[in-house]
């Protein structure tokens, strides 16, 4: 049985009910009002009232969806404006700087900047992972690092000793959209710091339209194993 490690620690303390609902939808995707109420320890009706108010502000929308037998259920999810409530760190300035560098110094200069950032990140992560022995310990440490940087990271254990590592938010999304070298550098770092005994493959990508980025981290087969 897979073990869910709260794809992110609870960050709802001190937030208003509306903010808690937005955060729950960001972290866990579309849900019904009753399921949101259960998750947030409020009634389903209280959750629905908050969702209606958020819909009036165009932060969420709803639709009917049939899952299994019975009547269709009403699901709620974030709109583009709702996602924008979770900021892209210095988005406009970053994109402007990338554009200026590209125009004045050329694409090669952008590549060198990304490579330098990649190496700096790799060095810092390796130092943080020093002493993390098992793959689970390494993944847990990576979750803490990425969450501290604003990625709302988390993980869950899946079949055959593998892990699903997720980032529910991308604080550099605008920069990554402008130059996808950032995404390439990111997965390179994950592969390097998690070790030669694992493979890392991206399974969901925000820039491809997914609500989050997700990576499957799989232990490499043991040589000589049947």
């Amino acid at each position: 049985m897979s073990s869910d490690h709260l794809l992110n620690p609870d960050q709802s303390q001190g937030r208003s009910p509306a903010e808690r609902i937005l955060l729950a939808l960001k972290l866990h995707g579309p849900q019904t009002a009753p399921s949101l109420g259960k998750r947030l320890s409020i009634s389903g009706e209280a959750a629905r009232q908050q969702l209606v108010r958020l819909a009036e502000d165009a932060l969420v929308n709803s639709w009917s969806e049939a899952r299994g037998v019975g009547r269709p259920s009403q699901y709620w999810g974030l709109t583009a404006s709702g996602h924008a409530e979770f900021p892209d760190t210095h988005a406009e300035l970053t994109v402007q700087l990338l554009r200026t560098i590209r125009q004045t110094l050329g694409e090669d200069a952008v590549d060198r900047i990304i490579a330098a950032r990649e190496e700096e990140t790799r060095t810092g992560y390796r130092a943080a992972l020093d002493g993390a022995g098992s793959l689970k310990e390494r993944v847990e440490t990576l979750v803490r690092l990425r969450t501290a940087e604003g990625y709302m990271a988390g993980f869950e254990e899946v079949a055959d000793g593998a892990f699903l590592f997720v980032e529910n938010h991308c604080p550099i999304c605008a920069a990554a959209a402008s130059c996808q070298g950032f995404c390439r550098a990111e997965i390179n770092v994950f592969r390097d710091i998690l070790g030669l005994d694992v493979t890392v493959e991206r399974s969901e990508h925000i820039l491809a339209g997914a609500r989050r980025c997700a990576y499957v981290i799989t232990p490499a087969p043991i040589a000589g194993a049947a």
Side-chain angles (χ1 to χ4, degrees):
M1 180 180 297
S2 67
S3 176
D4 186 349
H5 290 262
L6 295 181
L7 299 185
N8 199 67
D10 184 7
Q11 301 180 32
S12 65
Q13 294 181 356
R15 297 176 184 265
S16 70
E19 289 173 333
R20 293 175 67 207
I21 284 177
L22 290 175
L23 180 61
L25 292 175
K26 180 69 172 175
L27 290 175
H28 303 285
Q31 298 173 64
T32 64
S35 65
L36 270 171
K38 183 176 180 180
R39 185 179 295 279
L40 299 177
S41 299
I42 60 177
S43 70
E45 178 58 24
R48 191 192 68 80
Q49 292 175 3
Q50 290 292 335
L51 288 163
V52 169
R53 296 189 186 101
L54 290 168
E56 291 172 353
D57 293 331
L59 297 177
V60 302
N61 59 8
S62 65
W63 61 93
S64 294
E65 186 173 330
R67 297 189 179 183
V69 298
R71 297 174 57 188
S73 298
Q74 185 179 35
Y75 280 80
W76 298 81
L78 295 179
T79 62
S81 296
H83 282 289
E85 291 292 299
F86 301 87
D88 187 344
T89 308
H90 308 302
E92 185 176 354
L93 175 60
T94 303
V95 172
Q96 289 176 347
L97 286 172
L98 286 170
R99 185 184 304 119
T100 300
I101 293 168
R102 184 177 283 119
Q103 291 173 347
T104 58
L105 300 176
E107 192 68 37
D108 185 59
V110 175
D111 291 340
R112 291 200 302 273
I113 289 171
I114 293 173
R117 179 181 182 274
E118 177 183 338
E119 185 55 36
E120 181 179 356
T121 302
R122 180 183 290 107
T123 299
Y125 285 12
R126 277 180 174 159
L129 265 71
D130 185 35
S134 69
L135 178 56
K136 182 177 179 180
E137 289 175 338
R138 283 174 271 166
V139 173
E140 287 175 332
T141 302
L142 182 60
V143 166
R144 289 195 293 270
L145 291 168
R146 299 295 282 183
T147 295
E149 293 174 10
Y151 288 86
M152 293 185 175
F155 79 98
E156 59 180 303
E157 299 179 53
V158 293
D160 301 322
F163 296 88
L164 181 68
F165 169 73
V166 303
E167 295 179 334
N168 292 287
H169 181 59
C170 179
I172 63 163
C173 193
S178 174
C179 181
Q180 293 199 24
F182 286 105
C183 295
R184 183 176 61 251
E186 195 169 69
I187 196 169
N188 286 343
V189 169
F190 295 164
R191 286 168 173 161
D192 289 345
I193 61 100
L194 289 173
L196 298 176
D197 57 339
V198 303
T199 61
V200 181
E201 299 296 335
R202 184 185 285 117
S203 59
E204 299 175 54
H205 197 191
I206 291 174
L207 293 186
R211 73 169 184 86
R212 64 185 186 179
C213 288
Y215 304 83
V216 178
I217 301 170
T218 307
I222 299 174

